[in-house]
Amino acid sequence: MLLPKKKTINFKANNYYSLADGQIFIGNHFRVKEYKALVPLFVASYCQVADEYLDDYGQQGIISMEILKDYFGELPFPCYSIMLRKAIPVEPVNAPSLALEHLQSATFFGDTSNWRSSSMTREKMMRTIPTYLHHMSHAYIPLRCYGDAYRPYVQELPPIINNIWFNEGFMWFLPYDTLKMDRLKNLFYENVYNTSPIIKKMSLSQLSQIASTMYGIDFRLGTAVFSRGAMMAIEMNNYIKEKTNSKKSMRDVMRYLYIWSKESHRPFTMEEFPGLINKGAGVDLSEIYNRWQLPVH
């Protein structure tokens, strides 16, 4: 029997978070395909039952980059990778298959029930793009623009985060805003107002704290917290447009927050946050912000 050759490969990282966010695929059955985009785009795929058709993933990544460049004014990464892993579950699972975002990549986990065997229609490709756009947008918020307690991450203890509604909700507002999908707004509404009465009684901070450790385990918490954040952003967007005759919108707020974090080299505090969004909007959003902190009625 021949033993595999052994060798050492050295990697350099600019800092701990770049190292921690690095992705490694090992084995003979994964594929990597490069696509020409605003910056190099790579799709890395492992599918246990068959090789997936990758070009639609590539096109969704290309479109997502273009949307985000227009929205924030720049791309914060030199290249980007979409990591796909579809495997037959070892045992039955009840939790949803969630994705994990990184500084310049996102990993999408799932079973093999929806693997892509051939090309999609343009309509279906755009209908399924929000997940990929949402996770690529996390390269801005919260990976480069975030509130207190998001970092540093201590591995032994999950951090208790008061503003997951911002991290997730504002970045679910972005696909709704850019793709003009009313079905997303309808989904947010259902998750906010037609969820468990116990969840509705929680303040936004309480819901975020519980979702810090239970986001995907009980996905009612995850959907409720990101939907409240998204609905807050939708209401703010409408208010900003009304008060400025559509000269400004939530796009200005998001870009302001991102640039502020980039230039400040630190997280914002939740005490600072209302003032920052007011500056970005050019109007007072305090009433909307304060109302969404309360339980849902």
Side-chain angles (χ1 to χ4, degrees), residues 34-293:
E34 182 177 358
Y35 295 88
K36 185 177 180 180
L38 293 175
V39 298
L41 172 68
F42 302 90
V43 177
S45 170
Y46 168 76
C47 181
Q48 192 170 350
V49 293
D51 288 343
E52 280 205 277
Y53 181 81
L54 301 183
D55 288 353
D56 289 334
Y57 290 114
Q59 190 62 29
Q60 288 171 319
I62 291 168
I63 295 170
S64 295
M65 271 192 206
E66 292 170 348
I67 290 172
L68 292 171
K69 172 70 181 302
D70 178 64
Y71 207 86
F72 288 98
E74 66 180 32
L75 293 175
F77 37 73
C79 61
Y80 198 86
S81 298
I82 295 173
M83 319 285 286
L84 307 166
R85 193 217 68 179
K86 294 187 177 178
I88 300 171
V90 176
E91 56 185 30
V93 292
N94 295 321
S97 298
L98 300 177
L100 187 62
E101 61 274 357
H102 316 282
L103 287 168
Q104 57 191 53
S105 68
T107 307
F108 298 88
F109 304 95
D111 60 30
T112 56
S113 61
N114 63 342
W115 70 282
R116 298 182 181 181
S117 60
S118 59
S119 62
M120 296 177 172
T121 64
R122 174 77 179 184
E123 188 276 333
K124 186 174 182 180
M125 187 174 68
M126 295 307 295
R127 191 170 71 247
T128 57
I129 199 176
T131 296
Y132 303 95
L133 173 58
H134 165 77
H135 283 92
M136 191 180 287
S137 72
H138 277 319
Y140 299 85
I141 297 172
L143 288 170
R144 290 175 172 86
C145 170
Y146 51 90
D148 47 12
Y150 182 73
R151 288 180 177 173
Y153 177 71
V154 180
Q155 289 184 338
E156 291 80 6
L157 296 172
I160 302 301
I161 303 174
N162 291 309
N163 62 323
I164 289 181
W165 54 266
F166 166 72
N167 299 352
E168 292 294 333
F170 277 38
M171 290 300 93
W172 269 117
F173 164 79
L174 189 148
Y176 160 77
D177 187 33
T178 56
L179 299 173
K180 310 303 179 187
M181 288 186 172
D182 285 338
R183 67 178 178 85
L184 288 178
K185 181 180 178 181
N186 295 336
L187 176 66
F188 303 149
Y189 185 94
E190 287 293 313
N191 292 337
V192 170
Y193 294 105
N194 293 327
T195 188
S196 163
I198 295 175
I199 294 176
K200 291 169 68 175
K201 289 179 181 178
M202 296 178 187
S203 70
L204 195 55
S205 180
Q206 289 173 326
L207 178 58
S208 186
Q209 290 172 7
I210 293 175
S212 296
T213 58
M214 299 283 289
Y215 190 94
I217 297 173
D218 185 342
F219 202 41
R220 294 178 305 168
L221 296 165
T223 56
V225 75
F226 77 67
S227 295
R228 283 202 210 178
M231 290 292 288
M232 180 199 300
I234 290 172
E235 185 174 349
M236 286 179 173
N237 190 50
N238 293 337
Y239 185 78
I240 295 168
K241 287 183 174 181
E242 176 188 345
K243 294 299 181 180
T244 65
N245 293 319
S246 295
K247 293 179 180 178
K248 300 194 88 173
S249 68
M250 277 299 288
R251 177 182 304 208
D252 297 282
V253 174
M254 304 262 235
R255 187 179 289 197
Y256 178 84
L257 289 170
Y258 167 69
I259 293 173
W260 182 92
S261 295
K262 180 180 177 180
E263 294 177 349
S264 300
H265 303 289
R266 69 171 179 85
F268 56 80
T269 67
M270 294 316 297
E271 289 74 23
E272 291 174 305
F273 185 77
L276 292 174
I277 60 174
N278 286 347
K279 287 182 180 179
V283 299
D284 189 358
L285 301 171
S286 300
E287 191 278 329
I288 298 172
Y289 176 80
N290 290 333
R291 178 161 33 83
W292 277 102
Q293 304 307 308

